[in-house]
Amino acid sequence: MTTKALEGVRILDFTHVQSGPTCTQLLAWFGADVIKVERPGEGDATRGQLRDIPGVDSLYFTMLNHNKRSITLNAKTAGGKRLLESLIKHCDVLVENFAPGAMERMGLTWERIQQLNPRMVVGSVKGFGPGRYEDCKVYENVAQCAGGAASTTGFDDGPPVVTGAQIGDSGTGVHLALGIVTALYQRTHSGRGQKVLAPMQDAVLNLCRVKLRDQQRLERTHTLHEYPQYPDGKFGDAVPRAGNASGGGQPGWILKCKGWETDPNAYIYFITQAAVWPAVCRVIGEEGWIDDEAYATPQARLLHLKPIFKRIEQWTMSKTKFEAMEILNEFDIPCGPILSMKEIADDPWLRKSGTVVEVDHPTRGKHLTVGNPVKLSDSSTEVTRAPLLGEHTEEVLAELGYAASDLASLRAEGAI
């Protein structure tokens, strides 16, 4: 029988909303036993946010908390504090994304955790790392702005734009998961736990590293040839918004396809890669451009990108995005359709690969969720539903050695 990659690892999950739950869900998908700790009667705030069915856990919650067990615990009671300390002794990792200082106010300083369990790894999401903003509360779009994403996203004649990809929350959760697994590996030969910090600003900046690259190029050369502002516009002293430019050495743009007048997603991303330039010219019926000095080299084409893409768009507008994809792929021309969320949800190949998964929930019923984006050859991922509030409290406490009478006392005290 195949074991899961993180089987035997126990995670004490003190996370809520998105960044922390993204991290712990990844660990759960890889086989870790994730025990989600929630407040009695309330639970994770996202259980009730953006509900589409009254009185039922929201999709916001269920899609971020698969494969976990839920217990309720009130750490403000004496019994709750004792239970919390028992859990810390019982687990390998504690993950939290509380506001700065919250853990310390609960009495869970790093020193106290080390006293209870020297092998414990403590993973934390914070908005900012050490510095002038370290005590600030941060949400998704704040992180995108502070990490450099918003200032470089959008078109140069418009305001900064945040992206629909949750690079601040979920992006930070992915970074934290890697840090925790790395710390667990180091523990195999050090024998000690350690703190793992993932600031949201840092994670966003890591995902925007090509823009930091461009900032240094701009300061040295005062121009960025692959940006749409070149050669007609002027560059300032900071990396500008680049519209739909590819961000790399191969110019790319989003072009209209057949049906764009009524379908907001009838578009394709088209890259004029140097290696396939002759094929591009043949496909669009401009064979003369292959040997024309004005178009023959990548450097020469940079001066004519706008008319080049305008001509290519005349061709793409005669095809649906999927027809264009089939033709372009025959010639290895890099491209990709703009897929709506509806198209993604209905894609049979994404269902087959486990990227989009249907799960059954006891109160919500069947719904779609995102599966594990990382596939291991020897450890498949089974996506199970998110837990109901406190569903596993008795089960987990029994594993800690609590008897039925203990549970009754804790319940009477309001500790669980």
Side-chain angles (χ1 to χ4, degrees), residues 200-215:
M200 295 172 73
Q201 181 187 40
D202 297 31
V204 172
L205 177 57
N206 186 43
L207 297 173
C208 291
R209 66 175 66 191
V210 297
K211 300 301 182 181
L212 185 58
R213 170 203 68 189
D214 291 349
Q215 179 63 38

Side-chain angles (χ1 to χ4, degrees), residues 53 56 359-367:
I53 304 175
V56 173
V359 294
D360 201 357
H361 189 273
T363 57
R364 164 169 290 284
K366 292 183 178 180
H367 66 279

